[in-house]
Amino acid sequence: MTAKPFDDFRTLLATLPTADVAAETRIRTLFAKTDKPKASLGRIEDIAIWLAAWSGRAPPAINRPLVAIFAGNHGAVRHAISPRPVSATANAVELCAAGGAAINQVCIANDLGLKVFDLALDIPTGDITEEAALDERGCAATMAFGMEAVAGGADLLCLGDLGVGNSTIAAALCAALFGGKGADWVGPGSGADAAMVARKADAVDRALALHGSSLDDPLEALRRVGGRELAAICGAILAARMQKIPVLLDGFVSTAAASVLHRANPGALDHCLLASLSPEPGHAKIAERLGLEPLLDLGVSHGEGVGAGLAAGLVKAAALTSSGMAVVVRN
């Protein structure tokens, strides 16, 4: 790392690889030659073209899809902003490891690999209403750790999160990046009642007031009002871009994390699709700000990358349509 830990990430964000236009054009041409009405497969064709553009493979193939889930805990939870105890994060990680979580079943159904990362769950981040969540070095190190998610090889990365209270943290980050008050971004999360939603909004407002103009820089916003799982997701998205791995984003928290990169470079998420739209009110708002149209809208707010895992089945089907459909030879 350089003397300033974020400098390496700023350099990466300024020099991101671009799409493979030749591969994209080849898939458009292949679909034009298949025996079907023009554009009759709708977004399935778009997905296949996107896969080719960002993997550099035409036709694209998905042989090693991976769901990566990052789990973190937050100091702000002490303000009673979640109906679940902090211990629920570790319990969810253990359930995934034991094969009993919803995402395990989705991975089995769609033949997906799964990695779950425990990000120092016994050491919650700083309370964002009183201090920064992380210092710059710690945030940069967590982003670097997130980059290792694809170290073993993958050709589709599905990103998810676990963390008690992290819908409030995501709301704070969205407010920092795009403006507004806490009430504009918070929602029920994992089942908050009206009084708890009000406490969530108040926590966001206090964090915004405390950190002030420092939030104008997206990486500073991430470290000050974000969390470890959000930082790791940012790192994973960057690593995927550098290694030509298309990405599926799942849920409010993952999308909020991705917003940091978008603010730093508006083209940073071009290799990403939004897998699923959660019922959390802020998710639709941030998706619109980022210009992301979800592949699925099933009312899934479970977390764990479930929406991304479900959408991976569609993406795998899109890849197969681009490679397996018969091409008509016209005289």
Side-chain angles (χ1 to χ4, degrees):
M1 291 227 174
T2 61
K4 294 183 178 180
F6 281 152
D7 285 355
D8 296 312
F9 295 103
R10 297 189 199 282
T11 299
L12 282 179
L13 283 162
T15 57
L16 294 173
T18 56
D20 189 323
V21 177
E24 176 182 340
T25 300
R26 177 166 171 75
I27 298 306
R28 291 185 187 277
T29 302
L30 281 174
F31 275 125
K33 292 180 178 179
T34 55
D35 187 13
K36 67 173 184 62
K38 183 178 179 180
S40 61
L41 288 173
R43 290 193 72 188
I44 292 297
E45 295 184 37
D46 295 337
I47 294 168
I49 292 166
W50 167 80
L51 276 174
W54 291 105
S55 68
R57 302 169 69 181
I62 298 178
N63 299 311
R64 299 189 66 184
L66 174 67
V67 176
I69 304 172
F70 297 98
N73 277 325
H74 304 272
V77 169
R78 71 187 188 87
H79 298 293
I81 57 173
S82 174
R84 298 184 299 159
V86 174
S87 60
T89 306
N91 292 342
V93 169
E94 292 173 3
L95 189 62
C96 289
I103 188 58
N104 298 103
Q105 320 321 315
V106 172
C107 288
I108 291 170
N110 289 319
D111 195 19
L112 312 173
L114 175 63
K115 293 181 181 179
V116 184
F117 299 92
D118 172 339
L119 300 173
L121 294 183
D122 57 333
I123 309 173
T125 56
D127 178 354
I128 64 172
T129 70
E130 297 182 357
E131 61 181 322
L134 297 162
D135 61 24
E136 183 173 341
R137 187 167 297 279
C139 187
T142 306
M143 292 175 71
F145 180 83
M147 297 181 82
E148 295 299 314
V150 295
D155 47 27
L156 177 68
L157 180 63
C158 307
L159 291 171
D161 65 273
L162 287 169
V164 171
N166 67 4
S167 67
T168 302
I169 301 303
L173 188 56
C174 288
L177 295 171
F178 297 103
K181 299 180 179 180
D184 298 322
W185 292 101
V186 298
S190 57
D193 59 17
M196 185 171 285
V197 170
R199 289 196 295 273
K200 294 173 69 169
D202 179 63
V204 171
D205 289 339
R206 283 191 285 154
L208 296 175
L210 174 68
H211 300 288
S213 61
S214 297
L215 301 175
D216 293 341
D217 180 292
L219 291 178
E220 274 293 300
L222 174 65
R223 83 163 185 89
R224 287 175 177 271
V225 300
R228 291 191 184 93
E229 69 270 49
L230 289 91
I233 287 168
C234 285
I237 293 170
L238 278 175
R241 179 66 163 263
M242 304 307 293
Q243 297 184 38
K244 296 184 177 181
I245 303 170
V247 173
L248 292 178
L249 301 172
D250 176 67
F252 182 38
V253 175
S254 292
T255 311
S259 301
V260 172
L261 305 179
H262 180 270
R263 275 294 308 275
N265 180 340
L269 304 182
D270 289 350
H271 65 305
C272 302
L273 291 181
L274 179 57
S276 177
L277 190 67
S278 80
E280 190 71 5
H283 197 199
K285 293 179 183 179
I286 196 63
E288 183 178 4
R289 294 289 187 100
L290 299 178
L292 295 173
E293 183 180 355
L295 298 180
L296 300 172
D297 187 359
L298 302 176
V300 174
S301 59
H302 189 65
E304 299 179 359
V306 167
L310 291 169
L314 286 178
V315 176
K316 292 176 72 174
L320 288 172
T321 61
S322 67
S323 62
M325 291 184 68
V327 173
V328 176
V329 178
R330 296 180 174 89
N331 297 324

